[in-house]
Amino acid sequence: MDNEKQKDELTALESIYNSEEFSYKHENNEYECTLKIFLNLSGDFYFSYKDIRQIDEESTKVQISHLPPITVLVTLPNNYPSLSPPNFTLISSWLRPPLLSRLCRKLDQLWKETEGVEILFTWFAFLQNETLEFLNLKENLNINQTYTRYKIALENQIQPELTMCASNILKKSSVDVRHRNEMTNTKNHHHQHFSKKKNKRQKNNKNSFDKRAVFDRPVSSNPVQMLIDYNEMRNEIEFKRNFYTCKICFSDKLGIDCTQFIPCSHVFCKDCIVGYLEVRIKDGAVQDISCPEDKCTSEATPGQIKDLVSPELFSKYDSILLSATLSTMSDIVYCPRRHCQYPVSREVNEVFATCPSCQYAFCLFCKMVYHGIEPCKMNSADKQSLMKEYKNASPEGKLQLEKRYGKKQLQLMIDNTMSENWITNNSKNCPHCKVAIEKSDGCNKMACGHCNTFFCWLCSTRLDPRDPYQHYRNPNSSCFNRVNQGILMNLGDDDDEDDEVDDSDDDDDPTFVVDEFIDYSDDDNSTEEIEIDDL
């Protein structure tokens, strides 16, 4: 009869609780049950802790949504429920033995009130719905004593070393024997007194703690971190079980197919977020990947991104993020070699660095192989930019540039640049030998003094040495009738050299530029060529 009642009760419990909460087996002609009690916490539930040895220390409060379950192990005797109650054990990692013992006594009381009737469901319902209220823990769980014992356990890990040090000090001390004996006697007296109090306390505790109450947590483990870790794990489990509406596609999906941003708690389906992340990573915008909700400042975590995208895409994300992070560090430069690109840490006030990967020593300014005290090589455009920067720089900026390039080098560069600019603006290159030539006077038919090549000053066209003026007589030429264009002519009377010169009439000097003055003579003496080899 009892066996049938036991079987019916277990079948009913199996239909009420899921497989995570309830399970049973039949061994040694007895039923053994395991039930995990998940407590229902209020929305503002928190646990508090502090080291009670620190009197002035304030308690720290941590809000949580879940506590680790209380495990109930039950064995049904053959004469249950007619004569004997179930044998049970309560196991918890956060309830101390005194509180667990109170629960054990309450379960015994419930059995006595309904003796001879199936009691398991009544026990389980009480533990699940009334435990916190019964223990006066409806809003706050105080773990001060548990936390203090954990701190003491940490300190005791180094106690052997402290004892050895103390022994060495005693060996080396010059305290006389009599004084040491007095201290030893005093120590023994206090030790005996402490032992008596300890034995008395243990005896009282032994009477108050129920053997069926098991505190299942090592003293050396951190109770605070244990509660926080379990709360996060349980939140994730509960999230996967519920349905949510994606804020992008507005579809209702299970939490296992969704992702949630922290701390804003906005939920989106994985399909939408994966597309969003792929676009951001492919565009290289890997920093501050924020929640897609409008004006939300929450950001996706690297772990969240790793769970959503492919390994190849996450590797790209990780690489770009690392590069972007290193770029913000002033003491990090990259190896200039294309096949390396390894991040290199630069020393303060150094002008070169050595790549730890490929051992390439390079200049920090021009990124070329380290050239010692020699200035960095630059092209013409870089020189022009440097000269402009140097001229417009503040005194502090000029000192920095002079420290990098050298003051004498910068001055020489300025002089050379000015010469190059003058040559560029006032000369043209021979179309044959490329020598720079200046035109100071004469017509536009030029003859190179280096290679004797005839060319046009206006269009740099090579001219036929047999008839160089044909270029200016040809109607199809762009320089037709322009052989004397640009010549300065003075129409003043040379015979009036002895006349007084009136300075006030200088502005009326009849000197003008001839736009078109045609002269087809073969006299080459009217043209002067100057070869500019070096300035």
Side-chain angles (χ1 to χ4, degrees):
M1 185 67 177
D2 285 339
N3 288 337
E4 292 180 3
K5 289 184 178 180
Q6 292 178 15
K7 180 62 177 176
D8 292 343
E9 184 180 21
L10 295 177
T11 302
L13 291 174
E14 193 175 28
S15 65
I16 296 173
Y17 299 100
N18 58 43
S19 58
E20 182 186 13
E21 296 173 324
F22 178 78
S23 64
Y24 72 92
K25 60 184 177 179
H26 190 266
E27 287 186 358
N28 301 325
N29 202 28
E30 290 181 337
Y31 285 105
E32 296 179 1
C33 312
T34 301
L35 182 73
K36 292 186 177 181
I37 305 296
F38 294 92
L39 303 179
N40 300 319
L41 304 184
S42 62
D44 54 354
F45 189 89
Y46 64 91
F47 71 88
S48 60
Y49 65 94
K50 74 170 185 176
D51 190 340
I52 57 179
R53 298 173 301 173
Q54 307 295 331
I55 301 177
D56 298 332
E57 182 180 357
E58 295 184 359
S59 296
T60 302
K61 297 180 180 180
V62 180
Q63 188 170 0
I64 56 175
S65 305
H66 305 278
L67 283 169
I70 300 173
T71 303
V72 186
L73 302 179
V74 178
T75 302
L76 302 181
N78 291 329
N79 55 359
Y80 165 80
S82 59
L83 297 176
S84 301
N87 300 317
F88 67 88
T89 301
L90 297 183
I91 305 173
S92 176
S93 60
W94 52 275
L95 276 177
R96 294 183 293 109
L99 297 179
L100 283 173
S101 298
R102 288 181 58 188
L103 289 177
C104 291
R105 291 192 291 270
K106 179 62 178 179
L107 297 184
D108 291 338
Q109 179 184 348
L110 291 175
W111 163 256
K112 291 179 179 180
E113 292 175 356
T114 59
E115 190 171 350
V117 180
E118 294 87 341
I119 194 63
L120 293 183
F121 179 75
T122 303
W123 279 359
F124 297 162
F126 166 78
L127 291 174
Q128 187 171 30
N129 301 320
E130 301 181 37
T131 293
L132 296 179
E133 184 176 0
F134 176 74
L135 299 176
N136 196 25
L137 302 174
K138 292 185 64 175
E139 296 181 354
N140 174 33
L141 171 65
N142 187 312
I143 61 169
N144 289 346
Q145 291 188 10
T146 306
Y147 180 71
T148 302
R149 290 181 179 179
Y150 159 72
K151 298 290 288 185
I152 293 175
L154 285 183
E155 295 170 0
N156 288 339
Q157 289 179 1
I158 61 173
Q159 189 63 34
E161 296 181 5
L162 293 177
T163 304
M164 291 179 64
C165 293
S167 300
N168 293 333
I169 294 174
L170 286 174
K171 289 179 181 179
K172 296 180 180 181
S173 65
S174 59
V175 180
D176 60 277
V177 177
R178 184 178 57 81
H179 182 65
R180 258 189 280 176
N181 290 337
E182 291 177 357
M183 293 188 66
T184 302
N185 293 333
T186 305
K187 181 178 180 182
N188 291 336
H189 173 73
H190 287 297
H191 178 72
Q192 291 174 1
H193 179 70
F194 176 77
S195 298
K196 291 179 180 179
K197 292 182 65 177
K198 182 178 180 181
N199 293 333
K200 184 177 180 180
R201 185 167 60 249
Q202 287 179 346
K203 185 177 181 180
N204 294 334
N205 290 341
K206 186 176 180 180
N207 295 332
S208 61
F209 294 168
D210 197 300
K211 292 182 179 180
R212 298 169 295 179
V214 178
F215 183 65
D216 185 24
R217 187 190 62 79
V219 179
S220 59
S221 66
N222 190 342
V224 175
Q225 194 61 45
M226 181 268 296
L227 292 174
I228 293 175
D229 291 344
Y230 179 82
N231 183 65
E232 292 179 355
M233 181 195 70
R234 199 68 203 177
N235 281 336
E236 185 176 352
I237 293 175
E238 296 297 327
F239 175 80
K240 292 180 179 179
R241 290 178 175 176
N242 297 326
F243 277 92
Y244 301 91
T245 300
C246 175
K247 294 182 176 293
I248 295 179
C249 64
F250 301 104
S251 300
D252 292 332
K253 295 187 178 182
L254 271 173
I256 195 172
D257 298 320
C258 298
T259 186
Q260 185 179 42
F261 284 79
I262 303 297
C264 64
S265 299
H266 293 142
V267 179
F268 306 89
C269 73
K270 289 183 178 180
D271 293 336
C272 293
I273 292 299
V274 167
Y276 168 65
L277 294 176
E278 287 179 350
V279 171
R280 290 291 301 266
I281 295 173
K282 290 178 180 178
D283 291 344
V286 298
Q287 289 183 302
D288 304 329
I289 300 181
S290 59
C291 170
E293 184 75 12
D294 186 32
K295 297 181 180 179
C296 183
T297 58
S298 299
E299 297 181 5
T301 63
Q304 188 177 15
I305 296 173
K306 185 177 182 179
D307 292 338
L308 293 172
V309 302
S310 64
E312 295 78 13
L313 199 60
F314 180 77
S315 178
K316 181 179 180 180
Y317 159 82
D318 196 38
S319 177
I320 297 175
L321 182 62
L322 176 61
S323 299
T325 303
L326 291 177
S327 298
T328 62
M329 303 172 64
S330 59
D331 59 340
I332 295 295
V333 294
Y334 288 94
C335 177
R337 286 181 169 176
R338 290 186 178 181
H339 67 275
C340 184
Q341 297 293 303
Y342 193 85
V344 182
S345 177
R346 58 175 295 180
E347 298 294 334
V348 180
N349 298 326
E350 286 290 348
V351 296
F352 79 100
T354 302
C355 176
S357 178
C358 65
Q359 306 304 318
Y360 178 60
F362 59 94
C363 173
L364 292 174
F365 301 119
C366 64
K367 302 301 187 293
M368 301 300 290
V369 65
Y370 182 57
H371 43 75
I373 62 174
E374 290 293 323
C376 301
K377 294 182 179 180
M378 293 180 291
N379 56 35
S380 180
D382 292 336
K383 289 181 181 179
Q384 295 288 345
S385 177
L386 177 60
M387 292 303 98
K388 184 177 180 181
E389 180 184 0
Y390 183 69
K391 290 180 179 179
N392 299 329
S394 62
E396 294 79 7
K398 287 185 177 180
L399 287 176
Q400 291 295 329
L401 292 175
E402 290 171 358
K403 181 179 179 181
R404 173 178 175 181
Y405 298 101
K407 185 174 182 180
K408 183 181 291 186
Q409 174 68 19
L410 286 172
Q411 191 59 49
L412 180 62
M413 193 179 298
I414 291 175
D415 296 340
N416 291 340
T417 302
M418 293 177 63
S419 298
E420 291 174 1
N421 291 340
W422 191 93
I423 292 174
T424 301
N425 297 330
N426 296 277
S427 67
K428 293 186 178 181
N429 294 331
C430 170
H432 178 67
C433 65
K434 307 303 179 183
V435 169
I437 298 176
E438 177 195 8
K439 177 177 179 291
S440 61
D441 199 4
C443 69
N444 292 321
K445 181 206 63 102
M446 302 293 295
C448 176
H450 185 263
C451 64
N452 203 32
T453 298
F454 291 99
F455 67 94
C456 176
W457 178 259
L458 298 177
C459 64
S460 298
T461 302
R462 296 182 66 171
L463 305 179
D464 187 351
R466 294 170 297 181
D467 187 6
Y469 292 101
Q470 175 63 29
H471 176 69
Y472 304 100
R473 296 196 300 268
N474 185 1
N476 297 324
S477 171
S478 61
C479 300
F480 178 65
N481 286 343
R482 299 174 63 190
V483 64
N484 290 318
Q485 180 177 325
I487 298 178
L488 294 177
M489 302 294 293
N490 191 335
L491 301 183
D493 189 358
D494 293 341
D495 296 336
D496 297 337
E497 291 180 358
D498 297 335
D499 296 342
E500 291 186 2
V501 179
D502 187 359
D503 293 339
S504 62
D505 295 331
D506 286 346
D507 293 339
D508 296 336
D509 187 2
T511 300
F512 59 93
V513 177
V514 177
D515 287 336
E516 294 185 3
F517 183 82
I518 305 174
D519 183 7
Y520 298 123
S521 65
D522 293 334
D523 185 10
D524 292 339
N525 295 328
S526 61
T527 304
E528 180 180 357
E529 303 87 0
I530 299 177
E531 178 183 345
I532 304 176
D533 289 334
D534 190 12
L535 291 181

